[in-house]
Amino acid sequence: MNVPSYPIKAERVAIPMRDGVRLSAHIHRPDRAEPVPAIVQATPYRKGPLATRTPHPIVAHGYATLTFDIRGTGDSEGWNDAIYSASERQDGYDLIEWVASQPWCNGKVGMLGISYYASNQWRVAGMHPPHLAAIIPWEGQNDRYRDSGYHGGILSQFQERWAKHQVVNIQYGRGERAMKNRNTGESVAGPVTLSDEELAKNCVNVYEELKKHPLDDEWHRSRSADLSKVTLPLLSCANWGGQGIHPRGNFNGFTETPSKQKWLEAHGDSHWSLFYSAYGLDLQKRFFDYFLKGIQNGWDQQPPVQLNIRYPGEKFKLRMEREWPLARTRWTKFYLDPARMALSPEPVAAGAKVEYEALGNGLTFWMAPLEKETEITGPLAAKLFVSSSTRDADLFLIVRVFDPAGKELTFMGSTDPNTPIANGWLRVSHRRLDPQRSKFYRPYHPHDRVEPLTPGEVYECDVEILPTCIVVPAGWRVALTVRGKDYEYEGELSEFAKKFHYGTRGTGGMTHNDPDDRPPEIFGGRVTLHAGGNFESYLLVPIIPG
């Protein structure tokens, strides 16, 4: 983006909400007479522009940005009701309308941001603020239960780790006890210093509140986006390596919203790298120029889908497509063959079974070495027939790729330097499907009841595996691991991987080891996988013709 030829005006404002709570926001805008479009961002982190007073580069292109601390964080007053609460959505609505009424705004408002900044957008957009014209949710979830809270019905510990590292220390009211902004010397948690007792009353423990809701109940629904109500122009940007937190929301946000003007982009690398890169900024600028400034820059001719096709060695090739999943996909079943521990391209005639310790390393089934380079791009799924020695079992499915020497291929994902190709999860007592919302390539479980297992009885389980993209070279092998615990990268860790606070040998902090959710007497038994004959267990793979 061009360096501005006019000065940028920065100011911090306290904006009263309809209930009287005042939210703190930083505004960066071109200091010129003509009104400009505005972009609103919500954050619980007091990071980025709020911490450094550095404007998003898009300001240099003639946009204003308003970034606000959500209730109970940073300099914003109020009670912090976990995350994605109804009050937070209402605040987003009100701030959009407040910005649109300012004399320096032309009445066109967008929303932009990554991670939490993105997740908030899906929810606010569904409320239809009159002046919200377009959104770019970059790596952001929209289903509170499935995307990050409970993977396949299994409690994810990410919220526990996330809150400890990124939210607790900037709760409004920590005042003098909080860290200081390195640029201003001010507290990052407001000017007021409250006691521990007062702080505890002003927020909920995010993780403990999540644990109170093991089923997809009204608590989760009230904190999730209703994608059927998102009708405005949107650009949804997914990370192939996002795994258990964001990409599901980005792909579903593209396919399930009724918007007539929507685009999907998918990329790799770490969580923030492409968002602020020349590649990312160009996308953001062109999209907003078209919808917020009315510039006829050809965005209306932009193909609906833009994919960075992934190759070994952290290499990517840009390719445009017309739809998602890709219409030319060859949906291919690879059948589990317990006798050979293989993934067979043909159904296995003879029935067999194989047993594993539920909390052990599980079983790995292998394809034969590929005869030619093969692209796998799209959502995956699996059908498994299992029995358990206890009244429940958790299934962790990992799609993996190995080179001819047997070294596993992993990537720098959004939150882990050793992210595998794809993951899927399912608690077997949550196996019931919603036939209306399920697709053959994406089973959908309502997660509204627990149906315990009878030990030894065989159950049919359909498992959603998150979308992925990888071009596998000839001679390499694809494998499916089925186990009852998290994936763990077995190779040597880099120094970065050892120190990164979300790095957990491949899960990026999305671990599932809470003893309250997974007591060993229920989930630590033995699981038997049945395949072949009458039990056609298989992995469904989206192969793209060359």
Side-chain angles (χ1 to χ4, degrees):
M1 292 185 179
N2 296 329
V3 176
S5 57
Y6 43 81
I8 291 176
K9 183 178 179 61
E11 57 184 322
R12 185 165 65 188
V13 295
I15 306 170
M17 297 294 97
R18 60 183 63 190
D19 61 355
V21 168
R22 296 168 67 86
L23 299 188
S24 175
H26 270 199
I27 297 172
H28 293 92
R29 59 185 176 86
D31 192 8
R32 60 179 185 177
E34 300 85 357
V36 297
I39 293 171
V40 171
Q41 299 175 308
T43 177
Y45 302 135
R46 204 168 193 267
K47 285 186 174 181
L50 288 175
T52 65
R53 296 195 175 184
T54 301
H56 186 286
I58 205 166
V59 177
H61 192 67
Y63 288 87
T65 60
L66 180 146
T67 309
F68 70 95
D69 296 339
I70 66 170
R71 288 177 176 241
T73 67
D75 285 328
S76 287
E77 303 169 350
W79 183 57
N80 192 310
D81 179 17
I83 56 176
Y84 307 136
S85 64
S87 60
E88 183 181 319
R89 290 199 303 275
Q90 188 64 63
D91 291 342
Y93 181 109
D94 291 347
L95 285 164
I96 287 167
E97 295 307 298
W98 181 88
V99 167
S101 70
Q102 301 307 300
W104 43 261
C105 179
N106 70 356
K108 291 280 192 178
V109 182
M111 295 190 80
L112 170 68
I114 186 170
S115 198
Y116 199 102
Y117 297 71
S119 301
N120 178 277
Q121 296 176 46
W122 299 110
R123 297 157 176 81
V124 175
M127 298 179 69
H128 303 139
H131 291 90
L132 181 61
I135 61 172
I136 304 180
W138 191 292
E139 297 185 36
Q141 59 177 297
N142 44 50
D143 187 323
R144 182 71 181 87
Y145 188 88
R146 293 163 185 79
D147 290 350
S148 67
Y150 287 80
H151 295 135
I154 308 167
L155 175 65
S156 169
Q157 294 172 288
F158 182 76
Q159 298 293 327
E160 181 180 35
R161 186 183 299 262
W162 171 79
K164 184 185 302 182
H165 281 290
Q166 301 197 245
V167 178
V168 171
N169 293 328
I170 52 97
Q171 181 187 350
Y172 178 82
R174 288 197 176 273
E176 295 176 355
R177 294 183 293 172
M179 296 180 292
K180 301 299 185 290
N181 184 308
R182 64 179 180 271
N183 298 301
T184 67
E186 299 174 343
S187 166
V188 299
V192 177
T193 303
L194 302 178
S195 67
D196 289 339
E197 292 76 15
E198 290 173 307
L199 287 171
K201 291 179 181 178
N202 285 349
C203 74
V204 298
N205 183 306
V206 172
Y207 184 61
E208 292 303 318
E209 195 68 19
L210 177 66
K211 290 174 65 174
K212 296 176 184 177
H213 302 273
L215 297 177
D216 188 15
D217 58 13
E218 179 55 32
W219 186 86
H220 289 283
R221 291 302 91 211
S222 69
R223 287 162 172 77
S224 298
D226 184 345
L227 295 177
S228 70
K229 294 181 178 179
V230 179
T231 57
L232 81 178
L234 64 93
L235 169 59
S236 180
C237 301
N239 189 321
W240 299 123
Q243 300 299 4
I245 185 167
H246 293 315
R248 185 180 185 278
N250 285 115
F251 288 107
N252 287 346
F254 175 74
T255 59
E256 297 184 18
T257 53
S259 173
K260 303 294 185 185
Q261 297 173 295
K262 57 184 178 179
W263 289 263
L264 172 68
E265 185 273 348
H267 55 268
D269 215 314
S270 61
H271 196 30
W272 288 92
S273 59
L274 268 70
F275 181 74
Y276 282 119
S277 71
Y279 167 84
L281 294 173
D282 177 69
L283 276 175
Q284 297 161 30
K285 181 174 72 71
R286 289 196 295 120
F287 179 81
F288 281 140
D289 278 356
Y290 185 81
F291 287 107
L292 302 188
K293 290 186 175 183
I295 296 175
Q296 297 304 305
N297 57 9
W299 182 269
D300 55 330
Q301 302 302 312
Q302 171 84 4
V305 176
Q306 176 169 321
L307 306 179
N308 288 275
I309 304 301
R310 188 165 61 169
Y311 292 75
E314 305 284 354
K315 297 176 182 178
F316 299 87
K317 292 183 181 179
L318 189 63
R319 191 173 76 207
M320 303 300 180
E321 298 285 353
R322 303 303 306 177
E323 70 288 307
W324 180 267
L326 305 186
R328 65 184 184 280
T329 302
R330 286 206 314 263
W331 299 99
T332 306
K333 293 179 180 178
F334 290 88
Y335 299 88
L336 276 62
D337 182 352
R340 300 186 300 121
M341 296 307 294
L343 290 172
S344 169
E346 302 296 334
V348 179
K353 59 185 180 181
V354 59
E355 188 179 71
Y356 63 92
E357 291 285 347
L359 300 182
N361 291 328
L363 307 168
T364 298
F365 296 82
W366 298 81
M367 288 186 196
L370 296 175
E371 294 180 359
K372 61 181 180 179
E373 182 179 85
T374 302
E375 179 184 337
I376 299 171
T377 297
L380 301 93
K383 182 183 289 292
L384 301 178
F385 291 87
V386 302
S387 59
S388 173
S389 64
T390 69
R391 65 179 187 272
D392 211 342
D394 286 341
L395 300 176
F396 293 72
L397 273 60
I398 308 100
V399 178
R400 308 164 72 182
V401 168
F402 295 82
D403 71 13
K407 181 180 180 181
E408 184 172 9
L409 174 67
T410 61
F411 284 88
M412 179 67 228
S414 66
T415 53
D416 200 291
N418 296 108
T419 303
I421 302 304
N423 289 82
W425 307 263
L426 182 65
R427 176 155 290 176
V428 180
S429 62
H430 289 220
R431 64 194 175 277
R432 189 170 62 89
L433 291 172
D434 181 337
Q436 301 300 317
R437 301 192 66 174
S438 290
K439 299 178 174 64
F440 71 89
Y441 57 80
R442 194 208 66 185
Y444 186 94
H445 304 85
H447 297 294
D448 58 358
R449 70 182 69 169
V450 175
E451 298 177 294
L453 315 184
T454 298
E457 187 170 329
V458 180
Y459 295 91
E460 180 178 351
C461 299
D462 293 277
V463 185
E464 175 186 11
I465 301 176
L466 299 189
T468 191
C469 174
I470 180 64
V471 177
V472 187
W476 290 41
R477 304 182 76 184
V478 177
L480 172 68
T481 295
V482 181
R483 57 199 279 171
K485 66 174 184 178
D486 287 308
Y487 166 83
E488 292 181 352
Y489 176 64
E490 297 175 350
E492 184 177 349
L493 295 180
S494 67
E495 288 304 310
F496 173 72
K498 293 176 183 177
K499 296 177 181 178
F500 185 51
H501 56 262
Y502 286 137
T504 44
R505 285 196 173 271
T507 66
M510 267 66 75
T511 53
H512 306 79
N513 298 316
D514 191 296
D516 295 334
D517 184 65
R518 283 166 47 82
E521 63 270 20
I522 297 177
F523 297 96
R526 297 188 68 82
V527 176
T528 302
L529 182 60
H530 304 257
N534 295 326
F535 300 114
E536 286 198 342
S537 293
Y538 62 78
L539 171 68
L540 181 68
V541 179
I543 294 178
I544 309 304

